[in-house]
Structure formats: structure tokens, C-alpha cells
Amino acid sequence: MPPAALPAGARPRQALARWTGIAAIGLAALGVDTPARAGTWGLCDAPAPISATDQDRMLRFAAVVKQVLDASGQRVALISRSGLDLSRFGVRYSHAGLALRPDAAKPWSVRQLYYTCDESRPRLFDQGIPGFLMGRDDPSQGYVSIVLLPAPQSDALERTALDQRTALELLAADYSANAYPFSTRYQNCNQWVAELMASAWAPAGSADRAGSTQPSPRERAQAWLRSEGFRPEPIGLGSHGVLFAAHFAPLVHVDDHPRDDLYALQMRVSLPTSLETFVHGRLPGAERIELCHDRRKIVVRRGWQALGPGCEAGPQDDSIPLDP
């Protein structure tokens, strides 16, 4: 059965969107004890329930995110959120999608790639902003990054994202949380977004440079990304033990990564920062808005300078109190 899209507004019972390969490898290296189910180390288990207070805080945070999107006047944005604490790898954001609102009478939703655990396959899924933000491990603090695009690129990306045939053609049959960006063997959630952007922005005829007489849509997208300077920074694994653990981590693969990278104890993986760096360098008119919350406040920052740890507001940031 070919990859397919989950119906808009549906909620998969067991779906995996918050894990990156770095997260899974990190869990293996740290020996994190999670309940095993179907060989997935608990990565496909239902998320732990959160308190009513935490849920209320996250819903209020989601409302501010929607207000920021509404105020932008746009119908599409690149949106990323934090998930598992990956600070030891220098990673804040783990999962990206496209926030879409083609009809002003309807709410914003995020089109994204999920790994559906029940079916053991990747699917595309439209999810409301609150649900998108609920996919975090720590409800007491979280970060969201929104990138707004200039009109020509924004319009092209919206058309491509809403074209179900194109979106599904770019969806790989096999998922790997740490998929190598320039191989079609696997795919992760952020790489699907990267290839969708490529399909939207590549000029007609650029597919002829993909190095194949009949390149697939994914090959064409990856060839354009490479030619345009899409270069995800290597993630240092730190030790041979981490690399060894990767061979046994569920939903993680190493057979698509260049051998030289593995010998150097690093992996190049598409992360939200990879997408944002590419957009920032290619589209000078792109704007970035970063939001965070802790138990006391929400902070909103406009500009490409990232918020620091601890969700502390700077002099130019907006700070919105959260009632205890």
C-alpha cells in the first residue's frame, strides 16, 4: 500500500512526530528506561497524561501562537516546536511542519509527517495548533518558531502543500528519524518539509540536473536543495557508544549515511534549524517570530536572534503574564 494522508482533523491513536534520530540515539546512549512495546522502546506509547493546570497553560500558549499567525496576514508559515530535551546535542527544535489557513473562516492547522505506530508507516496529517503543541514531553516549558515568507515563495509553497498528489509523491514509504537528507532510502518529518519547499520553489527544468534520466520527485527535490546550498550541519555523536546504540535504536538507521560521516562520529539530519537557515539565507525578506513559555509567562520575540535558555524576555520582547 502506498503512503497516504490521514484525513484532516483526525487524531491518530498512536503517532510519532516528536522524535528525531538524535533523540532516539540519545535515549539509547543514556540508557533511558522506557516501557517496550512492539520493539519501539515505548516511543509509540501514548503520552503521559498532563494536569489540568498544564493543559490550560498550553492551550493559552496555543492561543497566542494563533494570534501571531493571524496578525501576520499570511496563509502559510513554517512552524517548528521543541520536544524532548536535546540540549546536550545543541538542539532546541525537533519537529517542523507547515501552518496553513487557506480559508479565513477555518482555523489554522499544521500539515506534517507523522510516523503512525499502529500501521508502522509514515503518513501526512493535518493537526490543529493546540494538538501540535501538545506533542512535547515537558508541558511546563516550550518553544515555537514561526517563519513567514515573502509573497511569491509563500504563495508557491501554499499551492504545493495543498496539492495532495505532490505532497504524497514526496512522502517516502520508509521512515527513519535520522534520515540522511540526500538519500531517498528513508525520510523524516523535517526532510519532507524541505523537499516540499524544493518542489515549490525549484524553477521549471531544474529536474534535468538531478543526474538521472527519469528522476523521482524526491530525487529532483534533493538535487535542487543540494544545488541551492541546503547543508544541514553535522550533529556530533560524541562517542562510538552512541553510534553503536544507533544500530539497535528503533526507527533509527545508519545505512543511508555516508561512511565518512559515521567514521567522524557525526550524522547530518534535517532539523527545523536546517530549514530555517536555508530560508534565511535564500529569502532575505523572510521574518522569524519565536515564542516560549514557562510556568509564569509567555515571551514573544521578533527577529532572527534566538531566545536564550530559560525563556527570559529581552528588552525588545513582548512578555505576557500567565496567572498561577
Side-chain angles (χ1 to χ4, degrees):
M1 182 181 294
L6 290 173
R11 185 177 181 85
R13 290 190 299 116
Q14 296 291 345
L16 178 66
R18 69 183 184 274
W19 298 92
T20 67
I22 304 304
I25 294 170
L27 287 175
L30 292 172
V32 174
D33 184 17
T34 54
R37 184 179 78 82
T40 61
W41 291 359
L43 302 187
C44 284
D45 289 349
I50 64 174
S51 68
T53 300
D54 285 337
Q55 185 173 18
D56 177 70
R57 184 187 305 110
M58 294 175 72
L59 290 174
R60 294 172 67 183
F61 184 51
V64 174
V65 171
K66 288 189 285 187
Q67 290 172 6
V68 169
L69 288 168
D70 287 344
S72 72
Q74 299 205 24
R75 300 190 303 268
V76 63
L78 176 64
I79 186 168
S80 309
R81 61 160 168 74
S82 57
L84 187 71
D85 181 7
L86 304 178
S87 56
R88 70 182 294 246
F89 295 102
V91 175
R92 171 175 290 172
Y93 293 102
S94 60
H95 181 64
L98 293 175
L100 294 163
R101 193 185 187 188
D103 186 343
K106 296 180 179 180
W108 286 91
S109 63
V110 180
R111 180 155 293 188
Q112 62 203 290
L113 185 156
Y114 266 116
Y115 179 82
T116 57
C117 296
D118 287 345
E119 302 175 42
S120 300
R121 62 185 293 193
R123 282 182 177 265
L124 301 183
F125 178 59
D126 293 336
Q127 186 177 38
I129 298 295
F132 178 74
L133 299 182
M134 291 286 182
R136 303 199 318 266
D137 282 2
D138 182 4
S140 67
Q141 180 172 285
Y143 290 80
V144 168
S145 178
I146 296 170
V147 175
L148 306 172
L149 308 168
Q153 290 79 15
S154 176
D155 294 344
L157 185 58
E158 180 189 20
R159 288 193 301 269
T160 303
L162 295 176
D163 182 347
Q164 182 163 318
R165 177 178 177 179
T166 299
L168 293 177
E169 284 179 341
L170 294 170
L171 182 61
D174 295 314
Y175 177 87
S176 178
N178 65 316
Y180 179 60
F182 300 112
S183 169
T184 58
R185 177 69 180 88
Y186 306 107
Q187 188 180 51
N188 72 4
C189 51
N190 305 311
Q191 182 62 23
W192 176 80
V193 176
E195 293 174 14
L196 193 74
M197 293 193 302
S199 295
W201 300 338
S206 61
D208 297 336
R209 300 191 295 271
S212 173
T213 55
Q214 290 184 326
S216 69
R218 292 198 64 206
E219 287 173 329
R220 292 197 297 268
Q222 289 181 12
W224 185 83
L225 287 169
R226 189 189 290 271
S227 69
E228 295 299 311
F230 181 65
R231 300 287 187 271
E233 292 187 11
I235 303 296
L237 301 181
S239 72
H240 290 281
V242 177
L243 182 60
F244 178 77
H247 288 81
F248 303 98
L251 307 177
V252 173
H253 302 82
V254 298
D255 57 319
D256 56 330
H257 286 265
R259 186 169 299 179
D260 287 347
D261 283 359
L262 299 180
Y263 285 159
L265 294 179
Q266 63 184 22
M267 289 185 181
R268 281 175 282 171
V269 180
S270 288
L271 292 169
T273 50
S274 309
L275 310 181
E276 292 191 354
T277 298
F278 179 69
V279 169
H280 190 204
R282 181 176 177 80
L283 305 176
E287 302 176 23
R288 184 174 186 265
I289 305 171
E290 189 173 19
L291 304 92
C292 65
H293 80 86
D294 56 20
R295 296 185 186 276
R296 300 177 294 106
K297 64 186 179 304
I298 296 170
V299 174
V300 182
R301 171 171 295 182
R302 291 168 173 82
W304 287 91
Q305 182 179 358
L307 285 163
C311 192
E312 294 301 325
Q316 306 300 318
D317 300 332
D318 296 328
S319 184
I320 304 168
L322 285 172
D323 294 333

